[in-house]
Amino acid sequence: MDVPPISNPVWHNIVAGKVKYQLDFLAAKILLGRLLLRVRSDPSPGMLEKCAHDLQNLFAQNPDLPCVQRDLERIFGGER
Amino acid sequence: MSGCMNTVSQVKEKIAQGKKLLLAGDERVLEQLPPGDWIGGTIPYFMTEQGGMATKDQVYVTELPGTISDIAIKVYDESTLPHVYTDAAKNGFSIIIIPAMCTTHLSFALNAPNYKDFAIHPLIGWISGVHLDDLGKIKPKVFSGLTNTVLEDGAVVMHVTLPPGRVADVGILNIFEQSAGDTITFPQDGFSAREVYINGVKTNFAEYISAQHLDTRLPLVADYYGAMVNVSFQSVDAANRQVHFYAPVFAGLRYKHAKPIENYVRQFTSQMPTKLGKQIVFSCNCILNYLYSELEGKQTGGITGPITFGEVAYQLLNQTMVYLTIIDLAA
């Protein structure tokens, strides 16, 4: 599965804590632990955009990892 | 697993053959080794096929598979380490070793999550140490085989490039879980704390630990989106009403004291992911797990590697086994 672009609102919803998924990709879990904290302390649109970009970029840089593919299916599989 | 204990002469032979090696051993054995494609750190404790052991005479050798495309060995200091993620191979992984308690260690522990491109590429590694009898007498060190450099403060990193069709992943095995007890938050980042918030109420942490009879062999555990990340207690200074940790606590994160563990080895082996055996290229486990769970002479499910003064899986961890796998996408 391809990594959806940053324009997909799900990336923003994840870092805003509006939706939650059980993930396998350790790097995403550790990064999200930080990003959620950042957005909680600064919920400005700029911070939300930056954190959503960081999360999307992490997936975009690691598309071939089996755990990334499983997580993409979990998050975006229902959109197809 | 691709690692095992070797004598110095066996390691010299592997270096002469041009093998790409990750080494762990006592300073006196590592300093006997010739230049080559290796990095190393000091530690005399190991998990081996025969069980946990302490020795100053042998070296734990992880030989990287012949399928890797390239390596680059780099030495960093506190000011250059923020580039560690951007220096990594686009498809590959990086292994880092940092001496315990040096400035670079403390800086990495506090700041790694703010490094540019944090976690974009797999970063795994460990904090080097010394025999516990030598604490305060001998400083932990890291070695770059490339230039025969020995460092007491800094970091040595092997950036490894993988060929197309192979990818690397970092995993952790942490048997500790959050208890159902109080939620602990900290007003600032740091390796020590005095006043903290217990369920939102400002409280002196040293007094709280004493009053609650908390077992400080069990870490604090934070939930990073489902990944349990530990911070281990170093000491409780009742006189100064201060608590010290082996890794920093971070403001805003919600910590809980860990649930008690009845039998580390049983819990560890039961949680070990199956089918990983041959995919694991490198792993290490924490000196506190080794000590508190009395792992000397005990086996941990065939998982071997150095016993460390801290573990790195993207950032500094405590009381956690970390491991690196290389996955053949065609398999």
Side-chain angles (χ1 to χ4, degrees), chain B residues 217-240:
Chain B
R217 293 173 305 172
L218 301 171
L220 297 175
V221 184
D223 183 346
Y224 283 60
Y225 211 81
M228 296 299 137
V229 174
N230 303 333
V231 172
S232 302
F233 289 99
Q234 185 173 38
S235 61
V236 179
D237 181 350
N240 289 307

Side-chain angles (χ1 to χ4, degrees), chain B residues 311-323:
Chain B
E311 303 74 58
V312 174
Y314 302 104
Q315 63 176 36
L316 182 68
L317 306 176
N318 284 163
Q319 277 177 274
T320 301
M321 188 197 87
V322 302
Y323 59 91

Side-chain angles (χ1 to χ4, degrees), chain B residues 187-236:
Chain B
Q188 59 205 31
D189 302 349
F191 280 82
S192 60
R194 280 196 172 88
E195 306 306 316
V196 303
Y197 294 93
I198 307 291
N199 301 326
V201 178
K202 197 172 183 181
T203 307
N204 179 268
F205 199 31
E207 289 172 2
Y208 171 82
I209 288 169
S210 172
Q212 299 291 319
H213 305 292
L214 289 195
D215 181 351
T216 54
R217 293 173 305 172
L218 301 171
L220 297 175
V221 184
D223 183 346
Y224 283 60
Y225 211 81
M228 296 299 137
V229 174
N230 303 333
V231 172
S232 302
F233 289 99
Q234 185 173 38
S235 61
V236 179

